[in-house]
Amino acid sequence: MADEKKYLLGKTFFELKETVASLSMPTFAAKQIADWLYKKKITTIDMMSNLSVANRTKLAENYTVGIKEPIKTTLSKDGTKKYLFDVGNNKYIESVYIPEKERATLCVSSQKGCQMNCLFCATGKQSFAGNLTAAEIINQVQSIDECDNLTNIVFMGMGEPMNNINEVLKAIEILTSDYGYGWSPKRITISTIGVLPALKTFLDSTQCNLAVSVHAPDTFKRVQIIPGEKAYPIKDVLKLLKEYDWSHQRRVSFEYILFNQLNDTEEDALKLADLLHGLDCRVNLIPFHQIPDVDLSPSKRDVMEKFQAILEKKHITATIRRSRGQDIDAACGMLSTKKINQTL
Ligand code: SF4
């Protein structure tokens, strides 16, 4: 059965070389397979026409390509599309395609659920069922109709990417290497609450952009919103980030969801400006999207604008983000596959 075979998708060039060696195929076949997988984006081994029939047969006895199309697509009235993927054992993940005037962004998941349990996030409320493999991450990109039109990929879907750093780095390598998609790392952004050892590994091994979920400027408030603050205090995250140069290659942004009377005061804005002082960065102010059983409400528009103005006055670029896909539960913090079995 095809599903019992291993996947070629998600393998780095190094791993493909190991694969062909283990099947006594010539080394150059690794380059040919990488081309078929990541440039021509074929779906079956049969389609690898410059491999000999004998080698294709050998490969197909042990492997399958590993492309799995989404099992459900939900379209928002604003054009946003939510894709649902079956990742086996009755577990599901979601990705969100966000078309804009000059960009087409795919928001991908890195885990089945999440262990971080952030207060505002539907993913954090469902049980954690493990990490996604690089194949399952790349499949979210490669199996959708819009794959060849994408301009950006953001790791802001389900899961904390830094808690699955090895597979996330493999997926990034495939997306940015010449043998793979050949994308500039500037087109990729990884979002994190600031899981420290992995964050350093990420910063040292890629030039991708970074988005840090800050959501409160001090430990007292942040720990109520992001329990991970206890293990990874935001001040330590900032200390690490300030050791890197953000003025040229890549960008760091800070995500800040504004909750009514929790983190939206003038004092919060001033503290945030202090925290970020000295860092070449931008702040994205995000409206809170209500989720079931969470007793929080969004800040009013004028409060958001006042918060933005305080940051701007302190010379920090701040943008109020537009919600996308809220009507299909695809906006920031809303992804969840907890009830999927009831709706399929
Ligand atoms: S916001 Fe991110 S890190 Fe926090 S629970 Fe949701 S998916 Fe996990």
Side-chain angles (χ1 to χ4, degrees):
M1 278 204 349
D3 274 357
E4 288 169 1
K5 292 178 187 171
K6 290 173 273 182
Y7 292 162
L8 290 173
L9 195 75
K11 281 191 186 290
T12 60
F13 189 44
F14 179 80
E15 290 170 330
L16 287 173
K17 282 197 280 192
E18 287 182 330
T19 302
V20 298
S22 72
L23 296 173
S24 308
M25 290 166 66
T27 311
F28 64 79
K31 175 78 176 69
Q32 292 173 316
I33 296 171
D35 259 18
W36 287 112
L37 287 174
Y38 303 126
K39 298 210 189 300
K40 301 190 185 89
K41 303 187 175 78
I42 47 85
T43 52
T44 66
I45 289 171
D46 250 11
M47 296 162 93
M48 299 181 177
S49 56
N50 60 357
L51 263 62
S52 69
V53 174
N55 280 337
R56 268 184 271 166
T57 306
K58 220 175 345 178
L59 203 54
E61 278 166 6
N62 297 277
Y63 292 92
T64 183
V65 169
I67 283 286
K68 286 183 152 192
E69 286 182 5
I71 57 167
K72 189 177 171 191
T73 305
T74 316
L75 183 64
S76 159
K77 59 183 183 215
D78 68 17
T80 300
K81 259 190 202 175
K82 186 165 74 169
Y83 288 111
L84 180 71
F85 293 91
D86 181 347
V87 283
N89 295 328
N90 283 327
K91 300 295 171 207
Y92 303 89
I93 55 147
E94 292 176 322
S95 314
V96 183
Y97 169 70
I98 310 156
E100 291 165 288
K101 233 188 206 159
E102 280 158 8
R103 287 159 67 110
T105 303
L106 185 71
C107 174
V108 297
S109 293
S110 56
Q111 295 186 296
K112 305 169 214 172
C114 186
Q115 294 155 303
M116 304 313 279
N117 201 19
C118 300
L119 184 62
F120 57 88
C121 175
T123 305
K125 311 276 173 242
Q126 75 178 81
S127 59
F128 175 67
N131 287 330
L132 294 182
T133 60
E136 288 164 333
I137 296 171
I138 294 292
N139 183 60
Q140 295 170 65
V141 181
Q142 200 155 313
S143 68
I144 62 167
D145 291 344
E146 297 85 0
C147 177
D148 289 332
N149 301 329
L150 294 174
T151 61
N152 296 79
I153 292 174
V154 295
F155 285 70
M156 292 186 182
M158 301 170 73
E160 163 55 67
M162 297 299 162
N163 284 347
N164 185 17
I165 188 68
N166 292 341
E167 295 300 303
V168 166
L169 286 178
K170 261 170 67 173
I172 289 173
E173 179 186 322
I174 291 163
L175 292 170
T176 58
S177 295
D178 286 345
Y179 73 78
Y181 278 51
W183 274 32
S184 158
K186 290 180 191 166
R187 294 167 66 185
I188 300 170
T189 301
I190 314 296
S191 166
T192 179
I193 64 145
V195 176
L196 274 171
L199 177 56
K200 179 153 173 43
T201 306
F202 167 79
L203 293 171
D204 291 337
S205 33
T206 87
Q207 284 298 320
C208 292
N209 296 323
L210 180 72
V212 177
S213 298
V214 58
H215 306 324
D218 60 49
T219 289
F220 176 73
K221 282 194 180 177
R222 192 169 187 256
V223 80
Q224 298 171 49
I225 302 168
I226 302 178
E229 164 73 15
K230 266 188 234 143
Y232 314 113
I234 191 66
K235 64 171 177 27
D236 294 351
V237 174
L238 263 296
K239 193 165 165 257
L240 175 71
L241 295 182
K242 285 177 184 175
E243 289 170 13
Y244 291 80
D245 177 13
W246 297 96
S247 57
H248 302 296
Q249 289 286 329
R250 59 179 160 198
R251 264 189 1 208
V252 58
S253 56
F254 292 88
E255 311 295 304
Y256 197 103
I257 301 176
L258 282 151
F259 304 100
N260 183 32
Q261 295 183 343
L262 174 59
N263 64 353
D264 63 354
T265 64
E266 186 178 338
E267 191 193 347
D268 292 320
L270 289 169
K271 276 192 186 172
L272 181 62
D274 264 1
L275 184 73
L276 305 183
H277 180 74
L279 199 63
D280 199 348
C281 65
R282 63 179 58 215
V283 174
N284 292 319
L285 299 172
I286 304 168
F288 169 56
H289 304 110
Q290 221 114 27
I291 56 166
D293 308 321
V294 172
D295 190 20
L296 290 170
S297 57
S299 302
K300 296 206 167 53
R301 180 75 194 187
D302 61 323
V303 174
M304 293 185 82
E305 284 169 4
K306 198 171 155 200
F307 201 96
Q308 178 189 28
I310 295 169
L311 293 177
E312 297 273 3
K313 213 169 156 193
K314 293 280 180 181
H315 311 291
I316 293 171
T317 308
T319 313
I320 298 179
R321 299 309 287 251
R322 204 156 53 94
S323 297
R324 296 292 304 266
Q326 197 172 354
D327 56 331
I328 56 165
D329 290 344
C332 173
M334 297 180 92
L335 295 186
S336 170
T337 52
K338 199 175 176 177
K339 292 187 180 159
I340 292 298
N341 286 329
Q342 297 160 24
T343 56
L344 277 176

